[in-house]
Amino acid sequence: MTQDTNPHADIRSKIMSGAAAGADRPVTPFDGSSWQNLSFNELLQRQFEVEHMIRWDLKNEEDVANTQRAVEGLLTFVWQMKVQARERGIANHGLIFQELLAMGSAQREGESIVTGLVDLSDLPQEELDGMIKQVEILRGIIRLKVQDASDLKTASATLKEAFSFFKSLATHAQEKGVSRFDMLEQLRNF
């Protein structure tokens, strides 16, 4: 009887067997149509939360627009990782994220990530590069450590809250006839 010489083989097989559970569940795409329209009071409360969750400064209308676009893009990216995971027979899109993290420059010294479990070599290089860029944006825009599926779940909830905030901000701004940034300033000064 031969013994496996790779001490990590058992750990990797356990990760992959757990990752496969639920891989047949459908993935709901992010299309931007599902968001909670916040009242003024809810918007006021969420403004403080969002501005403390987001690292990017919101100093003008362009910053607000760019941040909203980034949040929407990141929600699409999370969906895209879930789709890629399902196509590979796994439910844990965190494994996709860790592969992308290892491929890019967003991995930070001392981080422990598991790689080599998911092969992404079938993706066109342009798509892979875009996904790696989204990993960097995600880790740069929100004030959370993001490196695995659990962190992605928290990040996704944060992004959904920010998305509802920005959509509601636009609605309230339009109702008042002001820019989103002017509406944000009103909330800041309330």
Side-chain angles (χ1 to χ4, degrees):
M1 177 162 36
T2 61
Q3 205 172 15
D4 192 344
T5 57
N6 183 349
H8 302 290
D10 189 45
I11 293 170
R12 289 181 183 279
S13 67
K14 285 180 182 177
I15 291 171
M16 289 308 289
S17 67
D24 56 344
R25 281 183 260 151
V27 179
T28 305
F30 172 76
D31 65 4
S33 65
S34 176
W35 55 281
Q36 178 188 3
N37 190 14
L38 304 172
S39 70
F40 181 81
N41 287 337
E42 291 170 321
L43 192 65
L44 187 60
Q45 179 183 346
R46 190 70 54 87
Q47 172 267 325
F48 179 80
E49 294 168 357
V50 167
E51 288 206 78
H52 285 84
M53 290 186 293
I54 301 289
R55 290 178 199 229
W56 295 2
D57 290 333
L58 301 173
K59 295 187 246 175
N60 54 46
E61 182 67 20
E62 184 179 0
D63 290 344
V64 173
N66 289 339
T67 303
Q68 181 176 343
R69 267 194 305 278
V71 166
E72 290 176 22
L74 289 169
L75 286 167
T76 299
F77 169 60
V78 170
W79 169 77
Q80 184 183 18
M81 285 190 295
K82 288 179 181 180
V83 168
Q84 288 298 328
R86 295 306 192 284
E87 288 177 358
R88 288 161 172 72
I90 57 176
N92 183 350
H93 62 291
L95 296 175
I96 303 287
F97 184 81
Q98 289 189 338
E99 291 296 333
L100 294 167
L101 182 59
M103 291 177 186
S105 61
Q107 184 178 357
R108 297 179 179 124
E109 190 175 328
E111 283 184 319
S112 174
I113 61 172
V114 178
T115 60
L117 297 176
V118 181
D119 181 10
L120 300 176
S121 64
D122 63 318
L123 293 176
Q125 190 61 48
E126 186 176 318
E127 183 177 349
L128 195 57
D129 290 344
M131 291 177 78
I132 291 168
K133 180 71 176 159
Q134 290 295 86
V135 168
E136 294 167 1
I137 292 170
L138 176 60
R139 290 177 56 118
I141 196 172
I142 58 176
R143 296 181 194 278
L144 294 171
K145 169 196 73 81
V146 186
Q147 75 183 52
D148 59 26
S150 177
D151 300 335
L152 278 173
K153 185 176 181 180
T154 303
S156 187
T158 298
L159 291 168
K160 286 176 184 173
E161 288 179 15
F163 179 71
S164 288
F165 170 78
F166 286 115
K167 293 292 276 187
S168 296
L169 182 69
T171 299
H172 285 275
Q174 185 176 17
E175 288 171 1
K176 289 188 171 220
V178 298
S179 72
R180 290 174 294 186
F181 180 73
D182 289 339
M183 186 72 216
L184 179 60
E185 282 291 280
Q186 289 177 25
L187 293 170
R188 288 171 172 165
N189 294 322
F190 196 80

